[in-house]
Amino acid sequence: MARIPDLKPEEMSARQKQLAAEIGGPRGGVVRGPFAIWLRNPDLADKANQIGNLLREGTTVPRRLSELAILVTARHWSAQYEWFAHEHQAIEQGVSKEVVEAIRARKRPSFAKPDEKAVYDMCHELYETKKVSDATYKAAIETLGQQMVIELMTIASFYAMIAMFLVTFEAPVPGGAKPLPE
Amino acid sequence: MARVPQLKFETLNDKQRALATSIGAIRGGAPAMGGPWGLLLRNPELCDRAQAFGTMLRDHTSVPKRLSELAIALSARHWTAQFEWNAHAHQGVTAGLDPEVVESIKVRQRPAKMKKDEAAVYDFISELYEKKKVSDATYKTLTDAIGTDAAIELTAIAGFYSTVAMLIVAHEVPLPAGIAPPLPE
């Protein structure tokens, strides 16, 4: 049960309706998850959406790696909606089902691709130890380069903020599903 | 030794220069070349959108600054983000937090004396970070104390300053020259 009910169209201001159309457009016309919460504060919704759009389309990070970082983040927070929204995107972008299932079960995946290993190690270590060792950081720089490592950590940490919203306000997954076990 | 070399102002393009200058000016000083903004300058459009979000959360929410700085202090402490703590702890005191509240957070203790709204914010954010969920009782105490709209803004503040903290920690962003790490491990 969501802690904050979705706004009904008749409850929305003109600006909220416009934002709902802008945000829902590329998402099958629905405004769910973090957006449904943010929409109550149009400035917040707009500015957060601008960052999200840029992180999806305006960095050097391949989508396969950004979706992997998002899944590691969603798992760390047990953010059910975030996992629900990104699991299929990760697979579409080429993350293997074995990798996805291992992350879901909180197991370390065995990676065939060195760039995925670098992303996983960096995010996982940051979440578990709240720091990143020299060895892990160096491996990430050698595999991905400085620019991508900065952008990647911005993606992970922005989706951590989203996870904090989803968890705090108990944003529901459609149909009440819980794709992540405890 | 910083993991990411700081860019030099002379080598920035026009957009980066304008950003560094305006970000620094809003925060009361010279162009922002170090800290988390120095990292984000490497993707100027990202930096611009992130600073628009951050400036809104800093200066234009309904959350009293005393409570937003409390949320920031708790985020910096959770992540042991020395740069963030150094930049914000004094702002909390200026905004009306009791220095003893700030000192307790620094040593990871629940402050003994807090105002009612401060206790609601402290318990909410501590629980969110420690348990990655928020109990019904804690959620209700928070929204009774500050309202739902402010709770949304407060979550954005904690979330965004966690984003910044994660960047600081992952890239070991150094403190300004001559400043000792303020937070014990």
Side-chain angles (χ1 to χ4, degrees), chain B residues 157-178:
Chain B
I157 292 164
F160 180 73
Y161 282 88
S162 271
T163 300
V164 174
M166 288 169 67
L167 290 175
I168 289 169
V169 167
H171 301 289
E172 295 189 346
V173 168
L175 284 155

Side-chain angles (χ1 to χ4, degrees), chain B:
Chain B
M1 182 61 196
R3 284 178 169 176
V4 184
Q6 189 169 313
L7 298 172
K8 293 186 172 60
F9 192 74
E10 314 81 74
T11 64
L12 301 183
N13 65 30
D14 289 348
K15 174 154 179 121
Q16 288 171 316
R17 274 185 199 210
L19 272 167
T21 303
S22 72
I23 292 169
I26 291 170
R27 286 156 186 79
M33 300 301 298
W37 302 110
L39 294 176
L40 292 175
L41 271 183
R42 290 162 182 264
N43 183 327
E45 188 56 39
L46 175 58
C47 186
D48 197 7
R49 295 183 191 198
Q51 73 80 25
F53 193 59
T55 302
M56 173 192 70
L57 294 174
R58 219 181 87 108
D59 299 330
H60 305 288
T61 74
S62 67
V63 180
K65 195 157 174 67
R66 176 175 51 85
L67 298 182
S68 61
E69 291 295 341
L70 175 58
I72 294 167
L74 287 166
S75 303
R77 176 63 274 190
H78 175 74
W79 282 101
T80 314
Q82 303 283 4
F83 186 97
E84 188 167 67
W85 180 277
N86 179 63
H88 281 274
H90 63 95
Q91 296 190 47
V93 173
T94 306
L97 282 180
D98 189 320
E100 285 182 29
V101 169
V102 176
E103 283 306 307
S104 295
I105 293 169
K106 190 192 254 190
V107 294
R108 298 186 196 269
Q109 280 171 9
R110 190 176 192 282
K113 276 168 55 179
M114 288 184 279
K115 296 184 175 122
K116 202 174 158 196
D117 55 1
E118 292 167 7
V121 168
Y122 179 93
D123 289 338
F124 159 57
I125 292 177
S126 302
E127 200 172 306
L128 179 59
Y129 286 139
E130 293 308 319
K131 299 188 177 165
K132 303 192 199 79
K133 60 176 89 169
V134 180
S135 70
D136 288 342
T138 301
Y139 182 81
K140 184 167 188 308
T141 305
L142 177 72
T143 48
D144 285 351
I146 67 173
T148 304
D149 288 345
I152 291 172
E153 293 174 325
L154 186 75
T155 306
I157 292 164
F160 180 73
Y161 282 88
S162 271
T163 300
V164 174
M166 288 169 67
L167 290 175
I168 289 169
V169 167
H171 301 289
E172 295 189 346
V173 168
L175 284 155
I179 304 281
L183 293 170
E185 277 305 304

Side-chain angles (χ1 to χ4, degrees), chain A residues 3 41 44 47 50 54 58 76-77 127 130 132-134 137 146-147 150-151 157 161 165 167-169, chain B residues 3-4 42-43 46 49 52-53 78 124 132-136 139 152-153 156 159 163 166 169-171:
Chain A
R3 284 178 164 163
N41 181 327
L44 176 62
K47 289 187 167 63
Q50 298 289 334
L54 194 280
H76 176 76
W77 279 95
Y127 290 135
K130 301 195 196 80
V132 178
S133 68
D134 287 342
Y137 194 83
Q146 182 73 77
Q147 179 79 13
I150 290 173
E151 292 170 339
S157 61
M161 182 194 79
F165 266 99
V167 165
T168 295
F169 297 103
Chain B
R3 284 178 169 176
V4 184
R42 290 162 182 264
N43 183 327
L46 175 58
R49 295 183 191 198
F53 193 59
H78 175 74
F124 159 57
K132 303 192 199 79
K133 60 176 89 169
V134 180
S135 70
D136 288 342
Y139 182 81
I152 291 172
E153 293 174 325
T163 300
M166 288 169 67
V169 167
H171 301 289

Side-chain angles (χ1 to χ4, degrees), chain A residues 95-149:
Chain A
V95 180
S96 76
K97 289 200 168 128
E98 291 74 22
V99 166
V100 171
E101 287 312 314
I103 294 169
R104 191 202 309 270
R106 296 186 195 270
K107 289 183 182 142
R108 190 175 198 292
S110 71
F111 288 103
K113 296 173 182 159
D115 56 359
E116 293 181 10
K117 178 177 182 297
V119 169
Y120 177 89
D121 286 346
M122 184 99 191
C123 295
H124 187 254
E125 199 172 308
L126 179 61
Y127 290 135
E128 292 305 317
T129 67
K130 301 195 196 80
K131 55 181 87 169
V132 178
S133 68
D134 287 342
T136 300
Y137 194 83
K138 186 164 177 282
I141 295 289
E142 284 172 3
T143 311
L144 308 168
Q146 182 73 77
Q147 179 79 13
M148 204 187 289
V149 170

